[in-house]
Amino acid sequence: EKERKLQWVEQSLQKLGERCRELLTSFYYRRMSMAQIAKKMGLSSEKVAKNNKYRCIQKAKKLLIESPEFSTSSVPTIKAQS
């Protein structure tokens, strides 16, 4: 079950653009701070990184809802972090 969820998340991340994928991966998988992400990605501030993260999450949700595989019973719960 856990492997299936990870595979599902990886497939979903592939549908995002490179910048969103890098930002979300840095934050959720690598546990980098917003300040570290901003510096790594050449963003002007931590606040810009945080706003970009929000937009990327919204884009991911939209992609997931529009995907033919989407079903609330098959979507793993991903706990949001601020």
Side-chain angles (χ1 to χ4, degrees), residues 19-30:
R19 300 277 292 173
C20 279
R21 189 168 46 249
E22 179 65 27
L23 192 153
L24 294 175
T25 301
S26 295
F27 185 76
Y28 289 106
Y29 289 121
R30 297 186 187 116

Side-chain angles (χ1 to χ4, degrees), residues 30-42 46:
R30 297 186 187 116
R31 302 287 187 200
M32 293 173 69
S33 71
M34 284 288 116
Q36 291 170 318
I37 292 169
K39 184 175 181 180
K40 176 184 175 185
M41 296 183 73
E46 182 177 343

Side-chain angles (χ1 to χ4, degrees), residues 1 4-6 8-9 71-80:
E1 178 66 17
R4 185 181 70 79
K5 287 181 180 181
L6 285 174
W8 185 84
V9 169
S71 154
T72 54
S73 62
S74 65
V75 176
T77 303
I78 300 172
K79 190 174 183 182

Side-chain angles (χ1 to χ4, degrees), residues 2-82:
K2 186 175 182 179
E3 186 176 316
R4 185 181 70 79
K5 287 181 180 181
L6 285 174
Q7 185 179 32
W8 185 84
V9 169
E10 287 174 13
Q11 289 172 351
S12 300
L13 283 172
Q14 292 302 315
K15 295 177 185 177
L16 294 175
E18 181 63 33
R19 300 277 292 173
C20 279
R21 189 168 46 249
E22 179 65 27
L23 192 153
L24 294 175
T25 301
S26 295
F27 185 76
Y28 289 106
Y29 289 121
R30 297 186 187 116
R31 302 287 187 200
M32 293 173 69
S33 71
M34 284 288 116
Q36 291 170 318
I37 292 169
K39 184 175 181 180
K40 176 184 175 185
M41 296 183 73
L43 302 172
S44 59
S45 71
E46 182 177 343
K47 185 174 182 174
V48 171
K50 202 172 199 177
N51 287 337
N52 284 351
K53 182 182 77 129
Y54 174 80
R55 285 190 206 106
C56 290
I57 290 170
Q58 295 306 311
K59 182 178 178 180
K61 285 180 182 179
K62 185 175 190 265
L63 285 170
L64 293 173
I65 289 169
E66 292 173 351
S67 78
E69 302 88 23
F70 182 78
S71 154
T72 54
S73 62
S74 65
V75 176
T77 303
I78 300 172
K79 190 174 183 182
Q81 298 177 355
S82 46

